[in-house]
Amino acid sequence: MRDPRYDILFEPLQIGPVRTKNRFYVVPHATAMGMPALDEMIAFRKARAEGGWGVVCLEETMIHETSDHAPLPDPRMYNDKYIEPLSRVVAAVKEYGALAGIELAHAGASGPAINHREHPLSPTGKFPHYFINPISARTIDRQDITNFRQWYRDAALRARKAGFDIIYVYCAHNLSLLQDFLDTRTNKRTDEYGGVFENRVRLLRETLSDVKDAVGDTCAVAVRFAVEDRRRPSNITALEDGRRVVEALADVPDLWDVNVSDWAWDSGSSRFFEEGQQEPFIDFVKKVTNKPVVGVGRFTSPDAMVSQIKRGVLDLIGAARPSIADPFLPNKIDTGRHDDIRECIGCNACTAEVMTYSRIRCTQNPSAGEEHVNGWHPENVPEAHDPDASILVVGGGPAGLEAAHTLAKRGYQVSIADAGSEWGGRLVRERRMPRLSAWGRVVDYRVSQLQTMPNVNMYLESPLNADDVVGFGADHIIIATGAKWRGEGVGRHHDEPITGHDLPHVLCAEDILNDNVPSGGSVVVYDEDYYYMAAVIADRLAKAGCKVTYVTTASDPSPWTHNTLELVHVINSMNEAGIAIVVGTMITSIDEGLVTASRLLDGVESRIDADTVVLVTGQISDDELYQELVAKRQAGLIRSVERIGDCLGAGQIAQATYDGRKAGIRFGELTPTG
Ligand code: ADP
Ligand code: SF4
């Protein structure tokens, strides 16, 4: 079953006093579940253990009331009352033979500590990095340092009591008090905890020793350490202090979990980072320490994983996103089912929910975060209530493909039709736009699965009208006909069409997606969509030789990408491409050769040259067929019809795949609407 080339991935490994059954390691990663959503947390982590990961870690778990990321709900180990609830996470993970890890953390100046109305702590008083709360951290004094060390010890002892096998000391992502001590930007102390390197590393060394003393006889003690801070300028780089920390503490922890900071570089999206992009920064670590090393790289290919181990870069294949997208990735490699791996597309829809304090979600894996709430399993689906029941899905984009796949897995007779000559709906064109090719995996996974299923018929180049659908005679109809980009400029700020939108030099996203691209001249790309499309179009046009000005009503370009950790990279790439950025500005009218714009704050008008204007102001659902079918149902010509995905409401692909899964799971259970 298993290809012997991958045997190395299934070799056990000793980590201090504990032993992992294989090399698949779910690193700590946020889920925005926390203590209020304990059952969700348990179900989420359990699914990864069930899928074969040898180690499953819990995210940043706060050790004290002076540390929280509120309103993000982190797990906590402040006191004994958290032992029992977190022991339930451990039990769920161990049920499948995985080791349970916990990332004990203190956020230092990076957490506003508002849950308990405490003052955050930092080496030398500072505002929190990630939050705009008007509270400055207070300078940690000698008594605080003594207390901090005690909090870590106590939390580690509680974690051991809860049953955790691997206990972390956290020093990464610019979200850690310990990292603040290493960083010369945040540590301006003049005592023995500040100044020279040996002083700045002192608290990390002491904390690791304390935790080892407390629990090291039975638990592995890991350190999560960012060897390189890519927010420049920084003293923590793989050539300077990052390396010196590993050298100084080489064999102190039982495990080095290494990465880069900030999160926007660690969980770099596929638009801006390749798989394995951290290797040049972390590859020195194994040469310096004799202890096992784990790191991440958005690895989904077993060959890439084997290569990491064989080339001596990593001992354990760390994963956050690949384990979110496919909790069963290890088991699929183990049983030779490589084609069944649901590969992460690197879109960071998962981080966006965490950044907005909602439960984690995933574009590729709609069951992520829904294991408890909806009772969805990443692999198993409820059996068909009637295997002869037939369903017609109209539209082969992410929503339609997911619905068809779920229904087919359940055992129904499924037909899926699409007007186009290629499967994928919106992704047929989007995957060809700059930097979006990895998103095509949403289509490739589902189409390759459907093509092997005997109970599925797939029809391309099949534009269906309402009579065609009625004539098909299916028991249930799912309409997933998607949406179209608006051409008249109605958007977040425009309730009425923009004057001049109908001039010949005014295009919309549909035109660019259809390759109707101006070959030069000045172009204004106008964004009221706020996600990726306008920036991607600006990039496409700059590459085609146009002089591009990107204009948006938002205060940042592509503002939603703050949540997908892409904003900084969007801005950098726009700057590199020579795209001018105008924010907080609304286009009020379009004339030949120019647009008139108004600054939102004060209404000051300006004119911007524009041989071409591209409006990216939102999408409108393509629900005509659905509405016609509702009338047919009311006339008794069909039994049931429902609409899903962008046809129901245009948005993220993650919503479309979620809708598809929901329609697939609920068929036969609930009466569809319409
Ligand atoms: P979603 O993101 O909700 O899956 P998409 O826009 O990606 O939506 O996909 C919609 C798909 O539906 C497109 O591929 C389009 O060609 C197809 N489609 C739209 N109307 C019809 C129709 N009447 N018959 C068949 N296919 C259709
Ligand atoms: Fe990967 Fe996107 Fe899923 Fe996150 S949401 S795990 S980046 S596919």
Side-chain angles (χ1 to χ4, degrees), residues 267-270 298 300 320-326 342-352 360-366 368 439 441-442 652 654:
S267 292
S269 80
S270 60
R298 201 156 36 78
T300 54
R321 290 171 295 173
S323 71
I324 299 166
D326 198 339
R342 216 169 24 243
E343 292 183 290
C344 167
I345 69 168
C347 63
N348 285 6
C350 48
T351 70
I360 196 165
R361 69 177 56 171
C362 173
T363 304
Q364 269 287 49
N365 172 17
W439 291 20
R441 291 173 166 185
V442 171
Q652 291 186 60

PDB file of all heavy atoms in Angstrom, residues 267-270 298 300 320-326 342-352 360-366 368 439 441-442 652 654, ligand 2:
ATOM      1  N   SER A 267       3.421  32.271   7.796  1.00  0.00           N
ATOM      2  CA  SER A 267       2.312  31.665   7.038  1.00  0.00           C
ATOM      3  C   SER A 267       2.136  32.446   5.740  1.00  0.00           C
ATOM      4  O   SER A 267       1.036  32.892   5.419  1.00  0.00           O
ATOM      5  CB  SER A 267       1.009  31.729   7.847  1.00  0.00           C
ATOM      6  OG  SER A 267       1.087  30.892   8.956  1.00  0.00           O
ATOM      7  N   GLY A 268       3.211  32.625   5.030  1.00  0.00           N
ATOM      8  CA  GLY A 268       3.145  33.385   3.775  1.00  0.00           C
ATOM      9  C   GLY A 268       2.173  32.739   2.797  1.00  0.00           C
ATOM     10  O   GLY A 268       2.142  31.527   2.643  1.00  0.00           O
ATOM     11  N   SER A 269       1.363  33.564   2.153  1.00  0.00           N
ATOM     12  CA  SER A 269       0.359  33.015   1.238  1.00  0.00           C
ATOM     13  C   SER A 269       1.009  32.602  -0.072  1.00  0.00           C
ATOM     14  O   SER A 269       2.112  33.055  -0.406  1.00  0.00           O
ATOM     15  CB  SER A 269      -0.728  34.053   0.953  1.00  0.00           C
ATOM     16  OG  SER A 269      -0.259  34.968  -0.018  1.00  0.00           O
ATOM     17  N   SER A 270       0.302  31.763  -0.820  1.00  0.00           N
ATOM     18  CA  SER A 270       0.864  31.261  -2.087  1.00  0.00           C
ATOM     19  C   SER A 270       0.982  32.365  -3.131  1.00  0.00           C
ATOM     20  O   SER A 270       1.695  32.214  -4.115  1.00  0.00           O
ATOM     21  CB  SER A 270       0.017  30.103  -2.630  1.00  0.00           C
ATOM     22  OG  SER A 270      -1.307  30.543  -2.869  1.00  0.00           O
ATOM     23  N   ARG A 298       4.419  24.629   4.233  1.00  0.00           N
ATOM     24  CA  ARG A 298       3.202  24.369   3.448  1.00  0.00           C
ATOM     25  C   ARG A 298       3.404  23.120   2.588  1.00  0.00           C
ATOM     26  O   ARG A 298       3.027  23.058   1.434  1.00  0.00           O
ATOM     27  CB  ARG A 298       2.816  25.595   2.620  1.00  0.00           C
ATOM     28  CG  ARG A 298       1.371  25.620   2.200  1.00  0.00           C
ATOM     29  CD  ARG A 298       0.836  27.017   1.908  1.00  0.00           C
ATOM     30  NE  ARG A 298       1.752  27.948   1.290  1.00  0.00           N
ATOM     31  CZ  ARG A 298       2.087  27.963  -0.013  1.00  0.00           C
ATOM     32  NH1 ARG A 298       1.576  27.101  -0.853  1.00  0.00           N
ATOM     33  NH2 ARG A 298       2.925  28.867  -0.472  1.00  0.00           N
ATOM     34  N   THR A 300       2.841  19.656   1.053  1.00  0.00           N
ATOM     35  CA  THR A 300       1.745  18.715   0.791  1.00  0.00           C
ATOM     36  C   THR A 300       2.238  17.519  -0.019  1.00  0.00           C
ATOM     37  O   THR A 300       1.536  16.522  -0.124  1.00  0.00           O
ATOM     38  CB  THR A 300       0.598  19.394   0.010  1.00  0.00           C
ATOM     39  OG1 THR A 300       1.132  19.992  -1.162  1.00  0.00           O
ATOM     40  CG2 THR A 300      -0.090  20.463   0.850  1.00  0.00           C
ATOM     41  N   ALA A 320       0.812  23.473   9.665  1.00  0.00           N
ATOM     42  CA  ALA A 320      -0.422  24.055  10.164  1.00  0.00           C
ATOM     43  C   ALA A 320      -1.411  23.928   9.009  1.00  0.00           C
ATOM     44  O   ALA A 320      -2.269  23.039   9.002  1.00  0.00           O
ATOM     45  CB  ALA A 320      -0.219  25.494  10.599  1.00  0.00           C
ATOM     46  N   ARG A 321      -1.211  24.749   7.965  1.00  0.00           N
ATOM     47  CA  ARG A 321      -2.199  24.774   6.882  1.00  0.00           C
ATOM     48  C   ARG A 321      -2.411  23.430   6.165  1.00  0.00           C
ATOM     49  O   ARG A 321      -3.572  23.044   5.942  1.00  0.00           O
ATOM     50  CB  ARG A 321      -1.859  25.908   5.907  1.00  0.00           C
ATOM     51  CG  ARG A 321      -2.111  27.280   6.537  1.00  0.00           C
ATOM     52  CD  ARG A 321      -1.573  28.407   5.688  1.00  0.00           C
ATOM     53  NE  ARG A 321      -0.128  28.362   5.593  1.00  0.00           N
ATOM     54  CZ  ARG A 321       0.599  29.149   4.812  1.00  0.00           C
ATOM     55  NH1 ARG A 321      -0.004  30.043   4.041  1.00  0.00           N
ATOM     56  NH2 ARG A 321       1.902  29.064   4.799  1.00  0.00           N
ATOM     57  N   PRO A 322      -1.345  22.683   5.839  1.00  0.00           N
ATOM     58  CA  PRO A 322      -1.629  21.390   5.193  1.00  0.00           C
ATOM     59  C   PRO A 322      -2.468  20.456   6.070  1.00  0.00           C
ATOM     60  O   PRO A 322      -3.220  19.630   5.551  1.00  0.00           O
ATOM     61  CB  PRO A 322      -0.239  20.819   4.925  1.00  0.00           C
ATOM     62  CG  PRO A 322       0.629  22.034   4.804  1.00  0.00           C
ATOM     63  CD  PRO A 322       0.090  22.994   5.823  1.00  0.00           C
ATOM     64  N   SER A 323      -2.355  20.626   7.403  1.00  0.00           N
ATOM     65  CA  SER A 323      -3.157  19.766   8.283  1.00  0.00           C
ATOM     66  C   SER A 323      -4.574  20.304   8.443  1.00  0.00           C
ATOM     67  O   SER A 323      -5.487  19.557   8.789  1.00  0.00           O
ATOM     68  CB  SER A 323      -2.497  19.647   9.662  1.00  0.00           C
ATOM     69  OG  SER A 323      -2.597  20.863  10.383  1.00  0.00           O
ATOM     70  N   ILE A 324      -4.737  21.600   8.206  1.00  0.00           N
ATOM     71  CA  ILE A 324      -6.089  22.173   8.221  1.00  0.00           C
ATOM     72  C   ILE A 324      -6.817  21.716   6.958  1.00  0.00           C
ATOM     73  O   ILE A 324      -7.958  21.263   6.997  1.00  0.00           O
ATOM     74  CB  ILE A 324      -6.027  23.721   8.278  1.00  0.00           C
ATOM     75  CG1 ILE A 324      -5.312  24.191   9.549  1.00  0.00           C
ATOM     76  CG2 ILE A 324      -7.422  24.335   8.183  1.00  0.00           C
ATOM     77  CD1 ILE A 324      -4.911  25.665   9.542  1.00  0.00           C
ATOM     78  N   ALA A 325      -6.114  21.818   5.834  1.00  0.00           N
ATOM     79  CA  ALA A 325      -6.725  21.465   4.545  1.00  0.00           C
ATOM     80  C   ALA A 325      -6.951  19.969   4.414  1.00  0.00           C
ATOM     81  O   ALA A 325      -7.933  19.541   3.798  1.00  0.00           O
ATOM     82  CB  ALA A 325      -5.847  21.958   3.401  1.00  0.00           C
ATOM     83  N   ASP A 326      -6.046  19.178   4.965  1.00  0.00           N
ATOM     84  CA  ASP A 326      -6.256  17.726   4.914  1.00  0.00           C
ATOM     85  C   ASP A 326      -5.781  17.053   6.190  1.00  0.00           C
ATOM     86  O   ASP A 326      -4.623  16.654   6.307  1.00  0.00           O
ATOM     87  CB  ASP A 326      -5.565  17.089   3.714  1.00  0.00           C
ATOM     88  CG  ASP A 326      -6.167  15.706   3.466  1.00  0.00           C
ATOM     89  OD1 ASP A 326      -6.764  15.147   4.415  1.00  0.00           O
ATOM     90  OD2 ASP A 326      -6.070  15.193   2.345  1.00  0.00           O
ATOM     91  N   ARG A 342      -5.974  16.485  -0.221  1.00  0.00           N
ATOM     92  CA  ARG A 342      -6.589  17.800  -0.486  1.00  0.00           C
ATOM     93  C   ARG A 342      -5.533  18.848  -0.141  1.00  0.00           C
ATOM     94  O   ARG A 342      -5.354  19.220   1.014  1.00  0.00           O
ATOM     95  CB  ARG A 342      -7.810  17.943   0.436  1.00  0.00           C
ATOM     96  CG  ARG A 342      -8.969  18.667  -0.154  1.00  0.00           C
ATOM     97  CD  ARG A 342     -10.230  18.559   0.689  1.00  0.00           C
ATOM     98  NE  ARG A 342      -9.985  18.287   2.072  1.00  0.00           N
ATOM     99  CZ  ARG A 342     -10.388  17.186   2.724  1.00  0.00           C
ATOM    100  NH1 ARG A 342     -11.103  16.267   2.122  1.00  0.00           N
ATOM    101  NH2 ARG A 342     -10.118  17.017   4.001  1.00  0.00           N
ATOM    102  N   GLU A 343      -4.829  19.287  -1.166  1.00  0.00           N
ATOM    103  CA  GLU A 343      -3.672  20.137  -0.921  1.00  0.00           C
ATOM    104  C   GLU A 343      -4.083  21.564  -0.573  1.00  0.00           C
ATOM    105  O   GLU A 343      -4.901  22.168  -1.276  1.00  0.00           O
ATOM    106  CB  GLU A 343      -2.787  20.180  -2.159  1.00  0.00           C
ATOM    107  CG  GLU A 343      -2.112  18.863  -2.461  1.00  0.00           C
ATOM    108  CD  GLU A 343      -1.199  19.008  -3.649  1.00  0.00           C
ATOM    109  OE1 GLU A 343      -1.717  19.177  -4.764  1.00  0.00           O
ATOM    110  OE2 GLU A 343       0.026  18.978  -3.457  1.00  0.00           O
ATOM    111  N   CYS A 344      -3.469  22.065   0.463  1.00  0.00           N
ATOM    112  CA  CYS A 344      -3.653  23.480   0.825  1.00  0.00           C
ATOM    113  C   CYS A 344      -3.325  24.346  -0.388  1.00  0.00           C
ATOM    114  O   CYS A 344      -2.364  24.077  -1.098  1.00  0.00           O
ATOM    115  CB  CYS A 344      -2.703  23.788   1.981  1.00  0.00           C
ATOM    116  SG  CYS A 344      -2.514  25.539   2.322  1.00  0.00           S
ATOM    117  N   ILE A 345      -4.129  25.385  -0.595  1.00  0.00           N
ATOM    118  CA  ILE A 345      -3.869  26.269  -1.736  1.00  0.00           C
ATOM    119  C   ILE A 345      -3.135  27.547  -1.311  1.00  0.00           C
ATOM    120  O   ILE A 345      -2.861  28.417  -2.141  1.00  0.00           O
ATOM    121  CB  ILE A 345      -5.165  26.640  -2.487  1.00  0.00           C
ATOM    122  CG1 ILE A 345      -6.071  27.557  -1.636  1.00  0.00           C
ATOM    123  CG2 ILE A 345      -5.914  25.399  -2.933  1.00  0.00           C
ATOM    124  CD1 ILE A 345      -7.214  28.185  -2.428  1.00  0.00           C
ATOM    125  N   GLY A 346      -2.872  27.680  -0.017  1.00  0.00           N
ATOM    126  CA  GLY A 346      -2.121  28.854   0.445  1.00  0.00           C
ATOM    127  C   GLY A 346      -2.881  30.162   0.317  1.00  0.00           C
ATOM    128  O   GLY A 346      -2.271  31.224   0.158  1.00  0.00           O
ATOM    129  N   CYS A 347      -4.210  30.097   0.428  1.00  0.00           N
ATOM    130  CA  CYS A 347      -5.013  31.326   0.256  1.00  0.00           C
ATOM    131  C   CYS A 347      -5.128  32.130   1.545  1.00  0.00           C
ATOM    132  O   CYS A 347      -5.466  33.306   1.531  1.00  0.00           O
ATOM    133  CB  CYS A 347      -6.406  30.959  -0.230  1.00  0.00           C
ATOM    134  SG  CYS A 347      -7.338  29.949   0.946  1.00  0.00           S
ATOM    135  N   ASN A 348      -4.900  31.462   2.671  1.00  0.00           N
ATOM    136  CA  ASN A 348      -5.000  32.094   4.002  1.00  0.00           C
ATOM    137  C   ASN A 348      -6.402  32.549   4.379  1.00  0.00           C
ATOM    138  O   ASN A 348      -6.554  33.473   5.203  1.00  0.00           O
ATOM    139  CB  ASN A 348      -3.985  33.233   4.151  1.00  0.00           C
ATOM    140  CG  ASN A 348      -2.572  32.692   4.344  1.00  0.00           C
ATOM    141  OD1 ASN A 348      -2.358  31.480   4.252  1.00  0.00           O
ATOM    142  ND2 ASN A 348      -1.629  33.565   4.601  1.00  0.00           N
ATOM    143  N   ALA A 349      -7.413  31.910   3.826  1.00  0.00           N
ATOM    144  CA  ALA A 349      -8.765  32.139   4.350  1.00  0.00           C
ATOM    145  C   ALA A 349      -8.822  31.677   5.806  1.00  0.00           C
ATOM    146  O   ALA A 349      -9.629  32.180   6.598  1.00  0.00           O
ATOM    147  CB  ALA A 349      -9.796  31.383   3.519  1.00  0.00           C
ATOM    148  N   CYS A 350      -7.967  30.727   6.167  1.00  0.00           N
ATOM    149  CA  CYS A 350      -7.936  30.228   7.557  1.00  0.00           C
ATOM    150  C   CYS A 350      -7.429  31.296   8.506  1.00  0.00           C
ATOM    151  O   CYS A 350      -7.993  31.503   9.582  1.00  0.00           O
ATOM    152  CB  CYS A 350      -7.064  28.971   7.651  1.00  0.00           C
ATOM    153  SG  CYS A 350      -5.461  29.125   6.841  1.00  0.00           S
ATOM    154  N   THR A 351      -6.391  32.012   8.102  1.00  0.00           N
ATOM    155  CA  THR A 351      -5.865  33.036   9.008  1.00  0.00           C
ATOM    156  C   THR A 351      -6.843  34.208   9.101  1.00  0.00           C
ATOM    157  O   THR A 351      -6.921  34.868  10.128  1.00  0.00           O
ATOM    158  CB  THR A 351      -4.499  33.585   8.540  1.00  0.00           C
ATOM    159  OG1 THR A 351      -4.672  34.359   7.363  1.00  0.00           O
ATOM    160  CG2 THR A 351      -3.509  32.480   8.272  1.00  0.00           C
ATOM    161  N   ALA A 352      -7.575  34.450   8.020  1.00  0.00           N
ATOM    162  CA  ALA A 352      -8.492  35.600   8.003  1.00  0.00           C
ATOM    163  C   ALA A 352      -9.544  35.465   9.090  1.00  0.00           C
ATOM    164  O   ALA A 352      -9.916  36.449   9.742  1.00  0.00           O
ATOM    165  CB  ALA A 352      -9.152  35.733   6.636  1.00  0.00           C
ATOM    166  N   ILE A 360     -11.960  29.165  12.921  1.00  0.00           N
ATOM    167  CA  ILE A 360     -11.156  28.881  11.734  1.00  0.00           C
ATOM    168  C   ILE A 360     -12.013  28.269  10.626  1.00  0.00           C
ATOM    169  O   ILE A 360     -12.995  27.572  10.896  1.00  0.00           O
ATOM    170  CB  ILE A 360      -9.992  27.926  12.109  1.00  0.00           C
ATOM    171  CG1 ILE A 360      -8.926  27.915  11.022  1.00  0.00           C
ATOM    172  CG2 ILE A 360     -10.484  26.506  12.404  1.00  0.00           C
ATOM    173  CD1 ILE A 360      -7.620  27.303  11.487  1.00  0.00           C
ATOM    174  N   ARG A 361     -11.664  28.548   9.381  1.00  0.00           N
ATOM    175  CA  ARG A 361     -12.303  27.896   8.234  1.00  0.00           C
ATOM    176  C   ARG A 361     -11.247  27.624   7.182  1.00  0.00           C
ATOM    177  O   ARG A 361     -10.121  28.107   7.290  1.00  0.00           O
ATOM    178  CB  ARG A 361     -13.412  28.758   7.649  1.00  0.00           C
ATOM    179  CG  ARG A 361     -12.942  30.005   6.960  1.00  0.00           C
ATOM    180  CD  ARG A 361     -14.079  30.772   6.334  1.00  0.00           C
ATOM    181  NE  ARG A 361     -15.106  31.101   7.309  1.00  0.00           N
ATOM    182  CZ  ARG A 361     -16.133  31.917   7.061  1.00  0.00           C
ATOM    183  NH1 ARG A 361     -16.261  32.465   5.872  1.00  0.00           N
ATOM    184  NH2 ARG A 361     -17.032  32.188   7.974  1.00  0.00           N
ATOM    185  N   CYS A 362     -11.620  26.846   6.172  1.00  0.00           N
ATOM    186  CA  CYS A 362     -10.649  26.491   5.136  1.00  0.00           C
ATOM    187  C   CYS A 362     -11.341  26.408   3.789  1.00  0.00           C
ATOM    188  O   CYS A 362     -12.433  25.854   3.675  1.00  0.00           O
ATOM    189  CB  CYS A 362      -9.999  25.151   5.486  1.00  0.00           C
ATOM    190  SG  CYS A 362      -8.932  24.501   4.187  1.00  0.00           S
ATOM    191  N   THR A 363     -10.693  26.943   2.768  1.00  0.00           N
ATOM    192  CA  THR A 363     -11.235  26.911   1.416  1.00  0.00           C
ATOM    193  C   THR A 363     -11.294  25.480   0.891  1.00  0.00           C
ATOM    194  O   THR A 363     -12.312  25.050   0.326  1.00  0.00           O
ATOM    195  CB  THR A 363     -10.337  27.760   0.491  1.00  0.00           C
ATOM    196  OG1 THR A 363     -10.256  29.074   1.041  1.00  0.00           O
ATOM    197  CG2 THR A 363     -10.880  27.827  -0.913  1.00  0.00           C
ATOM    198  N   GLN A 364     -10.197  24.754   1.078  1.00  0.00           N
ATOM    199  CA  GLN A 364     -10.132  23.396   0.529  1.00  0.00           C
ATOM    200  C   GLN A 364     -10.947  22.402   1.350  1.00  0.00           C
ATOM    201  O   GLN A 364     -11.475  21.442   0.804  1.00  0.00           O
ATOM    202  CB  GLN A 364      -8.673  22.917   0.510  1.00  0.00           C
ATOM    203  CG  GLN A 364      -7.907  23.216  -0.760  1.00  0.00           C
ATOM    204  CD  GLN A 364      -8.337  22.343  -1.911  1.00  0.00           C
ATOM    205  OE1 GLN A 364      -9.525  22.204  -2.198  1.00  0.00           O
ATOM    206  NE2 GLN A 364      -7.381  21.773  -2.607  1.00  0.00           N
ATOM    207  N   ASN A 365     -10.983  22.616   2.644  1.00  0.00           N
ATOM    208  CA  ASN A 365     -11.609  21.628   3.526  1.00  0.00           C
ATOM    209  C   ASN A 365     -12.751  22.275   4.297  1.00  0.00           C
ATOM    210  O   ASN A 365     -12.556  22.826   5.380  1.00  0.00           O
ATOM    211  CB  ASN A 365     -10.555  21.087   4.504  1.00  0.00           C
ATOM    212  CG  ASN A 365     -11.174  20.202   5.573  1.00  0.00           C
ATOM    213  OD1 ASN A 365     -12.306  19.724   5.424  1.00  0.00           O
ATOM    214  ND2 ASN A 365     -10.439  20.006   6.650  1.00  0.00           N
ATOM    215  N   PRO A 366     -13.961  22.214   3.745  1.00  0.00           N
ATOM    216  CA  PRO A 366     -15.064  22.899   4.422  1.00  0.00           C
ATOM    217  C   PRO A 366     -15.402  22.321   5.789  1.00  0.00           C
ATOM    218  O   PRO A 366     -16.114  22.965   6.565  1.00  0.00           O
ATOM    219  CB  PRO A 366     -16.249  22.743   3.460  1.00  0.00           C
ATOM    220  CG  PRO A 366     -15.787  21.931   2.311  1.00  0.00           C
ATOM    221  CD  PRO A 366     -14.341  21.568   2.498  1.00  0.00           C
ATOM    222  N   ALA A 368     -13.267  21.953   8.147  1.00  0.00           N
ATOM    223  CA  ALA A 368     -12.375  22.536   9.154  1.00  0.00           C
ATOM    224  C   ALA A 368     -13.138  23.534  10.014  1.00  0.00           C
ATOM    225  O   ALA A 368     -13.766  24.470   9.501  1.00  0.00           O
ATOM    226  CB  ALA A 368     -11.185  23.221   8.485  1.00  0.00           C
ATOM    227  N   TRP A 439      -4.391  28.311  -6.515  1.00  0.00           N
ATOM    228  CA  TRP A 439      -5.805  28.219  -6.155  1.00  0.00           C
ATOM    229  C   TRP A 439      -6.526  27.182  -7.020  1.00  0.00           C
ATOM    230  O   TRP A 439      -7.600  26.695  -6.670  1.00  0.00           O
ATOM    231  CB  TRP A 439      -6.491  29.592  -6.303  1.00  0.00           C
ATOM    232  CG  TRP A 439      -6.040  30.600  -5.296  1.00  0.00           C
ATOM    233  CD1 TRP A 439      -4.888  30.576  -4.560  1.00  0.00           C
ATOM    234  CD2 TRP A 439      -6.725  31.788  -4.907  1.00  0.00           C
ATOM    235  NE1 TRP A 439      -4.825  31.690  -3.745  1.00  0.00           N
ATOM    236  CE2 TRP A 439      -5.925  32.450  -3.939  1.00  0.00           C
ATOM    237  CE3 TRP A 439      -7.935  32.370  -5.290  1.00  0.00           C
ATOM    238  CZ2 TRP A 439      -6.315  33.649  -3.354  1.00  0.00           C
ATOM    239  CZ3 TRP A 439      -8.314  33.570  -4.706  1.00  0.00           C
ATOM    240  CH2 TRP A 439      -7.508  34.192  -3.735  1.00  0.00           C
ATOM    241  N   ARG A 441      -5.932  24.286  -7.307  1.00  0.00           N
ATOM    242  CA  ARG A 441      -6.020  22.993  -6.621  1.00  0.00           C
ATOM    243  C   ARG A 441      -7.433  22.710  -6.114  1.00  0.00           C
ATOM    244  O   ARG A 441      -7.794  21.554  -5.909  1.00  0.00           O
ATOM    245  CB  ARG A 441      -5.066  22.980  -5.430  1.00  0.00           C
ATOM    246  CG  ARG A 441      -3.611  22.966  -5.819  1.00  0.00           C
ATOM    247  CD  ARG A 441      -2.728  23.138  -4.601  1.00  0.00           C
ATOM    248  NE  ARG A 441      -1.348  22.797  -4.911  1.00  0.00           N
ATOM    249  CZ  ARG A 441      -0.378  22.774  -4.007  1.00  0.00           C
ATOM    250  NH1 ARG A 441      -0.635  23.059  -2.752  1.00  0.00           N
ATOM    251  NH2 ARG A 441       0.852  22.453  -4.347  1.00  0.00           N
ATOM    252  N   VAL A 442      -8.196  23.764  -5.869  1.00  0.00           N
ATOM    253  CA  VAL A 442      -9.595  23.570  -5.430  1.00  0.00           C
ATOM    254  C   VAL A 442     -10.347  22.783  -6.502  1.00  0.00           C
ATOM    255  O   VAL A 442     -11.136  21.882  -6.205  1.00  0.00           O
ATOM    256  CB  VAL A 442     -10.283  24.938  -5.199  1.00  0.00           C
ATOM    257  CG1 VAL A 442     -11.780  24.784  -4.970  1.00  0.00           C
ATOM    258  CG2 VAL A 442      -9.642  25.654  -4.018  1.00  0.00           C
ATOM    259  N   GLN A 652     -16.130  34.784  -0.914  1.00  0.00           N
ATOM    260  CA  GLN A 652     -14.898  34.003  -0.948  1.00  0.00           C
ATOM    261  C   GLN A 652     -15.168  32.586  -1.438  1.00  0.00           C
ATOM    262  O   GLN A 652     -16.246  32.037  -1.214  1.00  0.00           O
ATOM    263  CB  GLN A 652     -14.330  33.885   0.456  1.00  0.00           C
ATOM    264  CG  GLN A 652     -13.806  35.167   1.027  1.00  0.00           C
ATOM    265  CD  GLN A 652     -13.144  34.893   2.370  1.00  0.00           C
ATOM    266  OE1 GLN A 652     -12.189  34.141   2.463  1.00  0.00           O
ATOM    267  NE2 GLN A 652     -13.658  35.503   3.406  1.00  0.00           N
ATOM    268  N   ALA A 654     -14.017  30.069  -0.077  1.00  0.00           N
ATOM    269  CA  ALA A 654     -14.271  29.268   1.128  1.00  0.00           C
ATOM    270  C   ALA A 654     -15.765  29.197   1.442  1.00  0.00           C
ATOM    271  O   ALA A 654     -16.257  28.189   1.958  1.00  0.00           O
ATOM    272  CB  ALA A 654     -13.520  29.861   2.323  1.00  0.00           C
TER     273      ALA A 654
HETATM  274 FE1  SF4 B   2      -4.714  26.261   3.051  1.00  0.00          FE
HETATM  275 FE2  SF4 B   2      -6.441  28.149   2.316  1.00  0.00          FE
HETATM  276 FE3  SF4 B   2      -7.237  26.042   3.760  1.00  0.00          FE
HETATM  277 FE4  SF4 B   2      -5.753  27.903   4.882  1.00  0.00          FE
HETATM  278  S1  SF4 B   2      -7.807  28.164   4.053  1.00  0.00           S
HETATM  279  S2  SF4 B   2      -5.478  25.706   5.059  1.00  0.00           S
HETATM  280  S3  SF4 B   2      -4.410  28.447   3.217  1.00  0.00           S
HETATM  281  S4  SF4 B   2      -6.474  26.016   1.687  1.00  0.00           S
END
